Amino acid sequence: MIYDDELETLPREALEALQLKRLQHTVERVYNLVPFYKKKFDEAGVKPDDIKSLDDLKRLPFTTKQDLRDNYPFGLFTLPLEQVVRVHASSGTTGKPTVVGYSKRDIQTWSNLMARSLAACGVGKGDVIQNAYGYGLFTGGLGAHYGGEALGATVIPISGGNTKKQILIMKDFGSTVLTATPSYTLYLAETLKEMGIKRDELKLRVGILGAEPWSDEMRKNIEEKLGIDALDIYGLSEIMGPGVAIECIEAKNGLHIWEDAFIPEIIDPETGEVLKDGEEGELVITTISKEAMPLIRYRTRDITRIIKEPCKCGRTHRRIERIKGRSDDMLIIRGVNIFPSQIESLLMETEGVEPHYQLIVDRVNNLDTLEVKVEVSEKLFSDEIKHLQRLKERIEKDIKDLYGITVKVTLVEPKTLQRFEGKAKRVIDKRKI
């Protein structure tokens, strides 16, 4: 279902003309209203009048998370605080929080983009959305909430956690849509089984899952266990929140990024060079419809590529491939770049293995080591030792074939690895460098 037929199917030429007009307006505003941007643009030798085409975007300097921290809390706002109706912020666990402000119009824009995103997943009026994203400073809960209401659906603002109550409400309130992280969705499926509730006792049909990298194999696992369509949603607080990009239910192949609001680029994370469509690199986003805090060429650190081929759903907005990982989360083990999502894909393709795993990195005698802990099914765990040994050796061989390095695989009992109500913590890095 297409929510905004005119904008979502705008011909590319008209869409790019709209992008250029909005980009020029945004660049003019930040240059004149934000001292940080004026200084950066002047240092780069570029003025707002120099932006005459979309290709000129690459002349502008990048914005980073550190820039947001350096201008904490409101240094990047283009509006006075009395015109900012809401503020969100990161947890600040690795430094000062990154703060984002929204005007009344920004909230309306965000709600509309989220409504588009939900509709792309086949959600509409009459649906009951169980919103298990966290509410508060984190953007997930309120973003999905306002989008659901804009769409005309019924929203249950249950937030994360309290899993048995989640399932009770899901059953009694007739939830048809779940918004949550993929790892928490798996935990819900597991708890559902433990509570003896059969799948056909629920009306759930769609899961809109995000806020952490996940694989197609985990999608299949979730869809099989819950009997739903599981779709990937992308967003980040610095840019807007959830609803920056979404998979459509027709294709389930890449996420449409709403290009009337955001201009995506893919760059080489080492050199900053802009790469061609189809090449893998770091996603950079420029916001062109935000009023209170626009960002120019924000480096997301997320690794993906742009899919330029038309989508069968009819939308003209390009897609990004499922996020592979983050350039700053990528593990380098003995000089080899390793993304946890690739290991997840390999594990999910292995029979007898459950979708719960942990990667433990350490340094022993100046040599990096990687241990992969993964749960096995109850049936396999009660099987003969030789079968478990064979499975362990097979996974070790598969990872060696993939990366060319030797890792240790430890098979653990079902339900022994920690479960998460929000984003899963898959990697424990014990190295002291």
Side-chain angles (χ1 to χ4, degrees):
M1 183 176 75
I2 295 182
Y3 180 74
D4 187 334
D5 193 55
E6 182 183 350
L7 278 174
E8 292 179 55
T9 62
L10 204 60
R12 288 297 308 177
E13 191 175 331
L15 181 55
E16 289 172 9
L18 177 64
Q19 284 183 312
L20 178 59
K21 182 180 173 185
R22 290 183 172 178
L23 173 65
Q24 289 170 326
H25 177 65
T26 300
V27 170
E28 183 82 35
R29 285 189 71 235
V30 297
Y31 184 80
N32 290 316
L33 296 172
V34 183
F36 162 79
Y37 276 120
K38 183 175 189 310
K39 183 171 181 287
K40 292 267 279 191
F41 289 8
D42 286 346
E43 286 172 352
V46 59
K47 302 286 185 190
D49 287 347
D50 294 330
I51 306 303
K52 300 185 186 306
S53 72
L54 290 177
D55 196 47
D56 289 328
L57 177 61
K58 64 186 176 193
R59 299 179 61 186
L60 297 171
F62 295 115
T63 307
T64 66
K65 181 169 279 206
Q66 188 58 46
D67 293 327
L68 270 68
R69 289 178 176 144
D70 291 344
N71 288 278
Y72 173 87
F74 307 138
L76 295 183
F77 285 12
T78 53
L79 294 177
L81 200 57
E82 56 264 31
Q83 293 181 41
V84 174
V85 300
R86 193 191 299 170
V87 173
H88 282 281
S90 69
S91 61
T93 50
T94 56
K96 280 185 181 176
T98 54
V99 178
V100 184
Y102 301 79
S103 68
K104 193 171 181 180
R105 197 180 79 185
D106 289 335
I107 295 293
Q108 188 175 12
T109 301
W110 187 12
S111 301
N112 284 336
L113 293 179
M114 251 324 283
R116 273 191 211 176
S117 301
L118 293 167
C121 298
V123 180
K125 288 181 182 175
D127 269 307
V128 179
I129 301 173
Q130 183 155 332
N131 187 16
Y133 285 124
Y135 283 67
L137 285 176
F138 174 59
T139 52
L142 284 172
H145 184 117
Y146 277 69
E149 289 186 349
L151 187 63
T154 302
V155 181
I156 304 172
I158 192 166
S159 196
N162 211 342
T163 306
K164 289 188 177 176
K165 188 175 180 183
Q166 294 265 4
I167 290 171
L168 181 74
I169 284 180
M170 191 178 284
K171 181 169 173 281
D172 293 347
F173 291 13
S175 304
T176 56
V177 180
L178 173 69
T179 52
T181 61
S183 53
Y184 187 57
T185 303
L186 276 173
Y187 184 39
L188 278 169
E190 198 175 77
T191 308
L192 195 70
K193 188 177 176 186
E194 285 174 1
M195 291 172 69
I197 296 175
K198 293 179 182 171
R199 172 62 191 90
D200 56 12
E201 293 181 63
L202 303 177
K203 293 183 179 175
L204 198 66
R205 60 181 185 81
V206 176
I208 300 173
L209 314 177
E212 62 186 19
W214 55 307
S215 62
D216 272 330
E217 288 69 26
M218 185 176 276
R219 184 214 301 271
K220 288 176 198 162
N221 200 299
I222 290 171
E223 291 185 333
E224 284 173 10
K225 286 186 172 171
L226 285 175
I228 62 173
D229 284 304
L231 296 132
D232 195 7
I233 186 167
Y234 175 75
L236 61 170
S237 297
E238 295 86 350
I239 293 297
M240 184 183 74
V244 172
I246 188 79
E247 280 186 321
C248 59
I249 198 164
E250 293 90 345
K252 286 188 186 174
N253 181 20
L255 296 86
H256 292 278
I257 187 161
W258 300 125
E259 291 187 90
D260 56 319
F262 312 105
I263 301 179
E265 300 171 275
I266 300 294
I267 64 163
D268 182 319
E270 298 297 324
T271 65
E273 177 195 357
V274 178
L275 303 177
K276 294 177 183 174
D277 284 359
E279 293 187 63
E280 185 178 283
E282 180 186 332
L283 178 64
V284 170
I285 296 177
T286 297
T287 67
I288 52 173
S289 65
K290 280 191 74 177
E291 193 175 45
M293 191 179 140
L295 289 182
I296 305 296
R297 305 193 79 200
Y298 181 72
R299 292 191 62 165
T300 68
R301 299 291 176 186
D302 290 324
I303 302 296
T304 183
R305 69 182 183 94
I306 289 177
I307 304 169
K308 65 178 181 180
E309 290 77 19
C311 182
K312 64 181 181 181
C313 72
R315 292 175 180 84
T316 52
H317 298 232
R318 291 177 299 171
R319 290 167 287 161
I320 55 171
E321 200 170 62
R322 178 189 290 277
I323 300 298
K324 184 177 179 180
R326 289 179 54 79
S327 59
D328 49 2
D329 281 351
M330 182 180 71
L331 297 169
I332 302 178
I333 309 290
R334 291 171 235 157
V336 178
N337 297 341
I338 293 176
F339 288 98
S341 58
Q342 286 181 316
I343 294 197
E344 177 185 295
S345 294
L346 188 149
L347 293 174
M348 294 303 98
E349 289 173 350
T350 306
E351 193 176 348
V353 165
E354 293 293 303
H356 303 289
Y357 65 95
Q358 203 164 52
L359 308 183
I360 300 166
V361 186
D362 206 345
R363 182 162 289 178
V364 179
N365 297 327
N366 296 318
L367 186 68
D368 289 342
T369 62
L370 175 61
E371 178 183 9
V372 179
K373 283 187 176 179
V374 59
E375 289 183 9
V376 295
S377 66
E378 290 184 15
K379 182 183 172 191
L380 193 69
F381 200 76
S382 58
D383 213 336
E384 293 179 39
I385 295 290
K386 65 180 181 183
H387 292 152
L388 289 169
Q389 183 63 27
R390 202 174 297 145
L391 177 64
K392 168 184 152 67
E393 290 171 356
R394 180 188 156 192
I395 297 172
E396 287 175 342
K397 179 180 181 303
D398 287 346
I399 294 176
K400 185 160 189 174
D401 288 346
L402 181 64
Y403 289 117
I405 63 169
T406 300
V407 304
K408 176 185 177 185
V409 170
T410 304
L411 304 179
V412 300
E413 289 183 56
K415 300 171 190 170
T416 53
L417 294 178
Q418 185 181 353
R419 304 297 194 257
F420 297 89
E421 294 175 348
K423 296 182 184 184
K425 185 172 172 58
R426 303 287 196 197
V427 178
I428 297 174
D429 195 337
K430 297 180 175 177
R431 290 177 292 187
K432 293 178 182 174
I433 300 172

